[in-house]
Amino acid sequence: MISIAKPIIGEEERQAVLDVLDSGMIASGTVTNKFEEEFASYIGVKFGVATNNGTTALETALRALGAGVGVKVLTTPFSFIASTNAIVYAGATPVFADIDEKSFNISAESIEAKLQEDSDIRILLIVHLFGQPCDMDAIMLLVKKYDLLLLEDCAQAHGAEWGGQKIGSFGNAAAFSFYPTKNMTTSEGGMVLTNDENTARRCRMLVNHGMEKRYYHDSIGYNYRMTNISAAIGRFQLKKLDEWNHKRRGNAAFYAGALAKAQGVLLPECLPKAHHVYHQYTVKVPGNKRDELIRCLEENQIGYGVFYPLSIPEQRCYDGQFSDVRVPVTDTIKQEVLSIPVHPSLTPQDVSTVADVIYAFGGVLL
Ligand SMILES: *Cc1c(COP(=O)(O)O)cnc(C)c1O
């Protein structure tokens, strides 16, 4: 079986976890602080506040930026549900723009259309989906023009860049996830990054029961802390991130070559200034043929993913609250996307097998 995702845990991570266990300091502590510094410095941002997962990182960042009851947050309908749930947890109101059919990311034109419709929108939450940066030139122009606060969901984009600048350093804050399927892991884990000292301080308080001085609680916070155990794993994963992303990009380049002439699938397209880190390699299978290709992959023991089969606003958990949302591009794309294995544990033989199976599938369609 060729899997769709597989975390790589090395001997250094094992030893680092054992060291933390032996130290007795197994909750949040100095290892967590080291990881915060190292990850923030890797992205090129001043402050890092580690959390227990990516969802709480998003919620913490949103609250620190002032999201709450009556605040409208504009976001993408095509993402993992956490990016919208975090807005809901904060008590704010999600508003949805549509996506760009080539990058699968929130579209700048659609953002501007929404901003002109609704002048109450204060915060923009973008998601760099599948490892591909959003069009940051267009988005930063809109952020200035409409005086927005920008939060980047970088849960799938560790190490991605736009014009040579790391994703996660553009907004007022950024949130990362270190879930095992992401480009690097801490088991569960997350982090908020920001260049603003005040925002960092608010995040720090939010994740630790609103407390700066021990047992003096200035605001109602949460326990969203990352443990030393998780951070110990993260510190060594970070050292390998660039090498792993390089492998992901190499696998993607192989598919781009091997499948350039394949029938029945459209390959992912990369914006010229984007350094894509291929959290997923996502092709489009138009013409209602996705299920056929899925059956073909299953027969050949190849893992795959449909990220995502539904738009966020139509998810049942929202109980029709967003039933008036119109996102036609997302509604088409959700029926066509199919992600194939691209992670760094794949052997050259694996990647070649996947390409052969997809190429042969196209031949059958002819
Ligand atoms: C994984 C993910 C999250 C949430 O991260 P968790 O660590 O699983 O809570 C948020 N947004 C996106 C886009 C993700 O892929």
Side-chain angles (χ1 to χ4, degrees):
M1 177 78 194
I2 301 175
S3 66
I4 183 73
K6 185 167 182 262
I8 305 175
I9 305 292
E11 199 44 52
E12 294 107 318
E13 285 93 323
R14 283 172 217 283
Q15 192 53 54
V17 168
L18 289 175
D19 290 346
V20 170
L21 292 177
D22 288 343
S23 77
M25 309 298 280
I26 58 177
S28 180
T30 53
V31 187
T32 313
N33 298 140
K34 275 264 186 296
F35 180 48
E36 290 170 335
E37 277 166 31
E38 289 163 0
F39 192 75
S41 144
Y42 171 81
I43 300 293
V45 168
K46 284 190 198 146
F47 307 101
V49 178
T51 59
N52 54 348
N53 60 61
T55 309
T56 51
L58 281 167
E59 187 200 345
T60 299
L62 280 166
R63 286 186 183 273
L65 294 178
V69 175
V71 175
K72 289 182 180 170
V73 182
L74 184 58
T75 193
T76 175
F78 194 58
S79 174
F80 181 54
I81 197 160
S83 53
T84 294
N85 272 350
I87 299 169
V88 174
Y89 300 155
T93 306
V95 179
F96 297 94
D98 207 350
I99 60 168
D100 168 65
E101 61 180 1
K102 287 186 176 155
S103 67
F104 310 128
N105 281 325
I106 193 166
S107 107
E109 293 85 71
S110 173
I111 292 173
E112 183 148 35
K114 281 287 157 197
L115 291 169
Q116 290 190 338
E117 242 176 73
D118 188 341
S119 57
D120 290 342
I121 295 166
R122 287 276 66 90
I123 301 177
L124 175 61
L125 167 47
I126 60 172
V127 181
H128 306 286
L129 201 68
F130 304 145
Q132 160 127 265
C134 295
D135 181 343
M136 292 314 295
D137 290 351
I139 285 174
M140 293 315 286
L141 279 177
L142 292 175
V143 165
K144 286 214 180 68
K145 182 170 169 191
Y146 292 89
D147 195 20
L148 303 170
L149 291 170
L150 177 66
L151 172 58
E152 297 176 73
D153 180 340
C154 306
Q156 305 189 359
H158 318 66
E161 295 171 13
W162 178 262
Q165 183 183 340
K166 285 257 167 24
I167 287 306
S169 65
F170 286 85
N172 300 85
F176 286 81
S177 162
F178 304 114
Y179 188 74
T181 56
K182 312 289 183 179
N183 294 42
M184 59 175 281
T185 188
T186 60
S187 78
E188 296 279 2
M191 200 180 296
V192 182
L193 296 185
T194 180
N195 277 315
D196 181 60
E197 197 171 352
N198 246 329
T199 305
R201 198 168 147 240
R202 278 154 79 169
C203 289
R204 175 83 51 213
M205 290 188 64
L206 279 163
V207 304
N208 194 25
H209 283 302
M211 169 170 93
E212 267 178 345
K213 190 173 166 200
R214 209 175 181 86
Y215 303 126
Y216 288 76
H217 304 275
D218 298 335
S219 56
I220 293 184
Y222 305 85
N223 174 0
Y224 286 168
R225 298 177 303 253
M226 177 187 280
T227 68
N228 275 345
I229 302 172
S230 292
I233 299 173
R235 290 185 70 195
F236 282 100
Q237 292 267 309
L238 178 58
K239 292 186 205 295
K240 301 175 216 174
L241 177 63
D242 284 343
E243 179 200 324
W244 289 336
N245 281 341
H246 186 72
K247 281 200 179 147
R248 286 177 182 272
R249 287 170 54 81
N251 291 340
F254 180 85
Y255 286 141
L259 297 174
K261 294 204 172 74
Q263 302 292 313
V265 295
L266 298 168
L267 304 186
E269 288 184 49
C270 207
L271 296 167
K273 288 178 86 170
H275 179 82
H276 192 320
V277 291
Y278 294 96
H279 172 63
Q280 297 295 347
Y281 190 89
T282 304
V283 301
K284 287 189 277 193
V285 194
N288 287 316
K289 298 285 183 198
R290 184 171 67 188
D291 285 348
E292 275 177 56
L293 179 51
I294 284 176
R295 243 173 286 138
C296 181
L297 293 172
E298 283 174 351
E299 276 162 21
N300 288 280
Q301 308 266 306
I302 295 169
Y304 62 88
V306 173
F307 310 117
Y308 296 90
L310 296 178
S311 76
I312 290 178
E314 70 181 328
Q315 291 286 357
R316 212 157 60 184
C317 60
Y318 298 124
D319 217 6
Q321 208 183 325
F322 306 120
S323 56
D324 57 346
V325 169
R326 294 289 167 266
V327 285
V329 181
T330 302
D331 286 334
T332 302
I333 293 299
K334 76 187 184 197
Q335 298 173 48
E336 298 183 347
V337 283
L338 181 66
S339 301
I340 58 173
V342 73
H343 58 85
S345 304
L346 298 167
T347 64
Q349 181 58 54
D350 291 337
V351 189
S352 164
T353 302
V354 175
D356 287 348
V357 166
I358 293 173
Y359 200 91
F361 169 80
V364 174
L365 287 181
L366 286 176

